[in-house]
Amino acid sequence: MRLFLIRHPRPLLDDGVCYGRLDVEAEDPQPVAARLRPLLPDATPVISSPLQRARRLASALHPQPSCDERLQEIDFGDWEGRRWEQIERRLLDAWAADVLHFVPPGGESVAMLRARAIDCVGDLPASDCALVTHAGVIRVLLGHWLRLPIDEWSRLLLDFGSITLLELAAGDGDERSGSGAVLHYLNRRGGAGAS
């Protein structure tokens, strides 16, 4: 199975604002779709996060994309919409001390995000599929199937409006197992002469 992992366009939001599940508008998806469409094989199904910044790009890429709640960005709970510098330092320190399991007040942990994203991929048909989603979801999927330590996958730089191709190895038939994968490219932007 080849997964084309696509990050949504840049949100129309001030820098420094925590916006995981916050449903914010993003830049025009049409130019991004025009750049990325040639990288997708014909008839590739497109599945999107229901958040508008991803959903609008999915609709620009495919006439009938589907949505899956499990592809939403991490839920930062009470932190959503607040500036990072307004969040209590002790809470940010607690998160830094346990990136995988810390739960922001009213939110979810990275481990919970990872479990639902892996579950989503496990329910996909064993064929090419494009997922239009968020940096957090893409990072946890890459970390899981490439067997990267959290210090590596949690810091992967993923450009807005980019595509990453991950091919899952044929294994025991359960895509949730993380039996290995091949990363073909990361952060490809598409378009003429782009990498």
Side-chain angles (χ1 to χ4, degrees), residues 90-161:
R90 68 175 183 81
L91 292 175
L92 293 174
D93 290 344
W95 183 29
D98 189 4
V99 172
L100 195 59
H101 298 102
F102 175 80
V103 179
E108 69 179 333
S109 69
V110 173
M112 294 162 72
L113 164 67
R114 180 176 63 183
R116 66 177 162 79
I118 291 167
D119 190 55
C120 176
V121 172
D123 289 343
L124 297 175
S127 61
D128 290 348
C129 196
L131 305 181
V132 182
T133 186
H134 310 271
V137 173
I138 295 170
R139 285 184 185 116
V140 298
L141 293 176
L142 292 173
H144 178 70
W145 271 284
L146 297 175
R147 299 179 178 167
L148 299 173
I150 190 169
D151 286 349
E152 288 183 32
W153 65 256
S154 65
R155 291 186 171 94
L156 286 171
L157 297 178
L158 298 166
D159 297 335
F160 292 110

Side-chain angles (χ1 to χ4, degrees), residues 6 29-30 33 37 40 43-52 54-68 71 124 129-133:
I6 300 170
Q30 295 300 330
R37 197 174 295 111
L40 295 176
T44 300
V46 175
I47 303 168
S48 175
S49 159
L51 298 178
Q52 66 176 315
R55 191 183 69 242
R56 290 183 63 228
L57 176 56
S59 294
L61 286 168
H62 192 280
Q64 293 183 317
S66 59
C67 284
D68 193 309
L71 293 177
L124 297 175
C129 196
L131 305 181
V132 182
T133 186

